[in-house]
Amino acid sequence: MEPGFWHERWHKQQIGFHQQDINPFLVKYWSTLALRGNEQVFVPLCGKSLDMCYLAEKGHDLLGCELSELAVRQFFEENGLEYQQNAFGELQAFSSEQMTLLQGDLFALKAEQLASVGAFYDRAALIAWPEEMRLQYAAKLATLLPRGCCGLLVTLEYPQDMLKGPPFSVTQEWIREHMSQWFEVTLLEQADVLADNPRFIAKEVPWLNESAYLLKRK
């Protein structure tokens, strides 16, 4: 998707992808990463997700990346957090005690800037991209993350011809075909979540599955 698409969505507050609650798979499966608890966690396309607050409460420092400056500022304001703004390479860093959100193009990040990252969490990034850009994103994520870094990936799967993304449908087959070259992939769970997503029901999408994967950078 072009940057203008996302800027417009945030400007108009057309942010159905923003969850009002912490993702259940995050609560259920974060412990499977077997982390010490103080690792820095990278959250690509983080928006203003409350999932970052959950991870901070677990003792992690958060390094998010988000294109929309409006989303970044809303995250700090809505959570009552004071922040400082500084340049971070080609991006801008908005930082509080445990949170640093990088505002700008994820593809402008360099691996050395994420050298201290020990884990990652992707609920809204992979499913935000159409096919060609999804491949580019997966390759970029792999180049950014240190070897041995593990993470939790959450995806959606549904009949793509029934609804125009984003979010886009990403199948288990796609994950294994296109991400296993960089990551060890373990499917943790797949659950039917259609009843919890009125937008999909309104569009008469017949089924909607949410999947959680454990990924480890090879």
Side-chain angles (χ1 to χ4, degrees):
M1 313 300 290
E2 295 299 322
F5 171 87
W6 295 109
H7 287 305
E8 183 178 8
R9 291 286 291 269
W10 279 101
H11 178 72
K12 294 182 176 180
Q13 289 296 286
Q14 296 175 343
I15 52 174
F17 48 84
H18 173 69
Q19 293 185 342
Q20 299 296 329
D21 298 304
I22 297 166
N23 185 272
F25 276 162
L26 173 60
V27 176
K28 186 174 182 178
Y29 288 113
W30 187 249
S31 62
T32 64
L33 275 62
L35 302 171
R36 297 187 305 275
N38 61 347
E39 290 86 352
Q40 185 180 52
V41 179
F42 179 54
V43 185
L45 277 61
C46 61
K48 57 177 183 178
S49 174
L50 295 176
D51 292 347
M52 292 187 288
C53 297
Y54 175 84
L55 290 169
E57 290 173 358
K58 291 292 184 182
H60 298 290
D61 288 337
L62 274 294
L63 181 66
C65 185
E66 169 56 43
L67 182 64
S68 169
E69 182 175 339
L70 178 60
V72 171
R73 292 187 184 277
Q74 285 182 353
F75 172 79
F76 286 102
E77 291 166 3
E78 292 175 8
N79 289 287
L81 300 172
E82 296 183 0
Y83 61 88
Q84 295 181 334
Q85 180 179 350
N86 297 285
F88 189 90
E90 297 181 36
L91 290 78
Q92 289 291 310
F94 294 73
S95 303
S96 65
E97 184 176 356
Q98 274 184 272
M99 306 277 189
T100 297
L101 302 191
L102 305 177
Q103 183 268 315
D105 184 1
L106 179 143
F107 288 93
L109 286 173
K110 297 177 173 59
E112 55 266 28
Q113 294 174 310
L114 272 70
S116 61
V117 166
F120 66 98
Y121 173 62
D122 179 343
R123 182 201 68 81
L126 190 72
I127 60 176
W129 308 99
E131 174 74 14
E132 182 178 350
M133 296 185 72
R134 188 185 312 139
L135 290 167
Q136 296 172 12
Y137 163 74
K140 180 64 176 181
L141 182 65
T143 64
L144 289 175
L145 295 172
R147 294 186 182 277
C149 181
C150 57
L152 183 65
L153 170 67
V154 179
T155 63
L156 294 175
E157 186 176 347
Y158 63 91
Q160 186 68 83
D161 58 351
M162 296 291 295
L163 185 67
K164 181 181 178 181
F168 292 95
S169 176
V170 180
T171 66
Q172 294 184 40
E173 291 75 19
W174 192 96
I175 296 292
R176 297 190 184 283
E177 178 180 355
H178 296 293
M179 301 196 72
S180 59
Q181 59 183 307
W182 299 298
F183 298 93
E184 297 174 11
V185 178
T186 303
L187 175 65
L188 299 172
E189 184 179 344
Q190 183 177 79
D192 178 359
V193 294
L194 181 61
D196 301 324
N197 290 270
R199 176 192 171 204
F200 286 82
I201 295 173
K203 295 292 185 178
E204 299 183 342
V205 175
W207 54 271
L208 174 66
N209 291 332
E210 188 172 39
S211 299
Y213 298 87
L214 173 64
L215 300 184
K216 184 175 182 179
R217 180 71 170 92
K218 293 180 178 179

